[in-house]
Amino acid sequence: MLVLISNLGSTSFKYRLFRMEAGGGEDVAKGGYERVTDHAVAIHDALEQLQRDGVIGSPDEIDAVGFKTVLGKDLSGCVIADQAAIDALEGFAAVAPAHNPPYAEGIRQFGKLLPNARLVALFETAFYQWTSPASHHYAIPASWRSIGIRRYGFHGASHKFIAERSAELCGREDVAETVRRLYLDGPKTSGPKPFRVISCHLGGSSSVTGIRDGVAIGTSMGFSPQSGLPQNNRVGELDSGALPYAMRTLGLSLEEAERQLTKESGLLGLSGVSNDIRDINEAAATGNADAALALDVLIHSIRHWIGAFLIELGGLDALVFTAGIGENGKALRARVCEGLEAFGIRMDPQANEDCRATESFIQAENSTVKIMVIPANEELVLAREVFRKLS
Ligand code: ADP
């Protein structure tokens, strides 16, 4: 099955083509466009490029297109990307303005350009469908809840992959199989021995998710991708009282306040240096106190959420780091794990140092919790989900 994974931003379009079969798949082509003003033109061009390169004889050979959609109003899961999916994306366009409109448009365009391909949307919220009401509700009036305000959670494709891969690497094939079939069969009742994972996706945007027996029990991200850990340039968690106070005191319009919270906050806002952790590390190393503070706040927030899920899970089998910072940030990983011996979490400093952003165990011999680095591969995860859905 030829599956095209389509990654749509407000001014970008990237794609990867996979040949999928039972038991695996391989990447056969990839490409992308920046500064896109018309997604239809970019998609059309990509399909022509694949033909020119001899990867496909005709666009009809593409069996399916997968979309990593972010947030749908009243819709989640791994679903056929039809008009209902487009309506769900458009219903929450104001909550995820950078993501939802380009995906709604992309689905429409692919529907026109590849009328025979099957279109599948995997919502980033899908992995959190089974969290408890206590974990996903905010304490707000019924009228607010009735318009869909609750904790949804994001990075679902990445955390679900961690749920599956960590189970495989820890010899829990039973749990890995539950994860593989999760969007088809739903969760299985857990066996006698639980498998408890905390997954730290630390990248341009970051979140921490608690996972029991392959199913998410909660996550740091909330209603919008604007919550939880400090993000590269987005605020992360903020007391709701701060917004009206800042607007009144600084004389900000709602639009300007929103722009500052989504574009000038997070690690960039705190450090005043950059939204990239490599620049922040460099600045902190040369004595920049704001850069050091940005790192401290990020690490504090990661540990805060690890603590929350340690309690909720009632113990831990594996602590996993993934995405750009999780895979490469050795010093940050070491600081996250500092002083957690009482919880059975002991890092092997040499194994941490030697880890080259490949699948690795980095815990000490006497650690009861496995500490792992697992590289993220979100496109492959999506291609697998599309294949599972359609086979
Ligand atoms: P995105 O969420 O945009 O997909 P990534 O998962 O690629 O982002 O993560 C981007 C982050 O990873 C950046 O903050 C970048 O600084 C960080 N990163 C990438 N390489 C390294 C590295 N070698 N050391 C530390 N951080 C790194």
Side-chain angles (χ1 to χ4, degrees):
M1 181 188 292
L2 265 186
V3 179
L4 185 78
I5 299 304
S6 162
N7 188 334
L8 291 144
S10 39
T11 61
S12 65
F13 166 58
K14 292 184 209 141
Y15 63 90
R16 261 169 88 177
L17 187 65
F18 292 87
R19 193 176 305 281
M20 302 301 294
E21 50 194 44
E26 55 164 357
D27 184 324
V28 289
K30 65 177 172 184
Y33 302 81
E34 302 287 344
R35 302 202 184 96
V36 170
T37 49
D38 184 341
H39 282 94
V41 173
I43 294 167
H44 189 262
D45 198 73
L47 295 172
E48 284 198 337
Q49 186 67 41
L50 287 168
Q51 289 177 86
R52 277 197 297 275
D53 292 345
V55 179
I56 52 172
S58 116
D60 282 345
E61 290 171 21
I62 297 175
D63 299 293
V65 185
F67 303 89
K68 193 157 68 71
T69 45
V70 175
L71 174 67
K73 188 159 195 325
D74 302 323
L75 185 67
S76 188
C78 185
V79 301
I80 297 300
D82 52 12
Q83 188 57 44
I86 293 175
D87 292 346
L89 289 166
E90 291 182 336
F92 264 161
V95 187
H99 300 101
N100 279 13
Y103 273 104
E105 181 56 18
I107 292 169
R108 275 199 193 94
Q109 292 304 335
F110 271 107
K112 281 189 203 148
L113 290 167
L114 300 179
N116 298 323
R118 306 195 56 198
L119 311 184
V120 176
L122 174 62
F123 283 94
E124 284 287 63
T125 53
F127 192 40
Y128 308 103
Q129 293 171 79
W130 300 281
T131 55
S132 71
S135 119
H136 66 233
H137 276 302
Y138 296 119
I140 45 178
S143 58
W144 289 47
R145 282 180 275 140
S146 75
I147 57 169
I149 300 179
R150 51 163 278 190
R151 187 184 293 282
Y152 289 103
F154 300 94
H155 296 140
S158 173
H159 290 296
K160 180 171 182 279
F161 173 66
I162 296 302
E164 177 180 345
R165 193 67 191 133
S166 61
E168 285 170 355
L169 292 170
C170 292
R172 290 298 303 263
E173 183 49 34
D174 57 329
V175 174
E177 185 57 14
T178 298
V179 183
R180 285 180 210 121
R181 301 203 51 85
L182 196 56
Y183 296 156
L184 305 171
D185 300 345
K188 287 231 178 71
T189 45
S190 47
K193 193 164 177 289
F195 185 62
R196 299 152 303 183
V197 176
I198 296 178
S199 168
C200 304
H201 175 109
L202 310 174
S205 67
S206 303
S207 61
V208 175
T209 292
I211 304 165
R212 180 186 285 118
D213 297 324
V215 184
I217 60 149
T219 187
S220 59
M221 279 229 199
F223 173 63
S224 77
Q226 257 301 71
S227 46
L229 273 48
Q231 316 292 342
N232 55 3
N233 58 0
R234 301 197 304 264
V235 64
E237 189 201 333
L238 179 77
D239 184 319
S240 62
L243 177 62
Y245 173 73
M247 286 174 65
R248 286 187 195 111
T249 312
L250 300 173
L252 304 176
S253 65
L254 180 58
E255 289 69 27
E256 177 57 14
E258 202 174 18
R259 193 190 66 76
Q260 293 186 11
L261 290 174
T262 53
K263 302 252 182 340
E264 294 181 355
S265 297
L267 297 173
L268 172 66
L270 262 175
S271 70
V273 170
S274 165
N275 62 10
D276 192 302
I277 211 98
R278 284 167 290 197
D279 304 330
I280 299 174
N281 276 332
E282 232 169 75
T286 57
N288 182 319
D290 290 336
L293 176 66
L295 291 172
D296 291 347
V297 171
L298 175 62
I299 290 164
H300 183 273
S301 180
I302 297 167
R303 286 165 60 92
H304 169 95
W305 282 100
I306 289 176
F309 293 127
L310 260 175
I311 298 292
E312 282 294 309
L313 291 166
L316 193 61
D317 298 290
L319 175 64
V320 186
F321 293 93
T322 189
I325 303 172
E327 291 158 30
N328 297 291
K330 299 174 185 182
L332 180 132
R333 287 196 302 254
R335 286 188 60 195
V336 166
C337 293
E338 239 168 51
L340 301 183
E341 294 79 10
F343 305 98
I345 300 171
R346 285 190 178 81
M347 182 173 274
D348 176 341
Q350 195 59 49
N352 183 43
E353 193 55 40
D354 293 345
C355 172
R356 296 270 170 276
T358 51
E359 276 182 359
S360 321
F361 286 96
I362 56 170
Q363 77 280 359
E365 259 177 39
N366 61 351
S367 181
T368 56
V369 175
K370 300 268 190 288
I371 309 177
M372 304 160 82
V373 174
I374 301 180
N377 189 347
E378 296 188 75
E379 283 89 2
L380 177 60
V381 171
L382 185 49
R384 281 194 204 161
E385 293 293 355
V386 171
F387 181 74
R388 284 170 191 159
K389 173 90 188 163
L390 298 180
S391 5

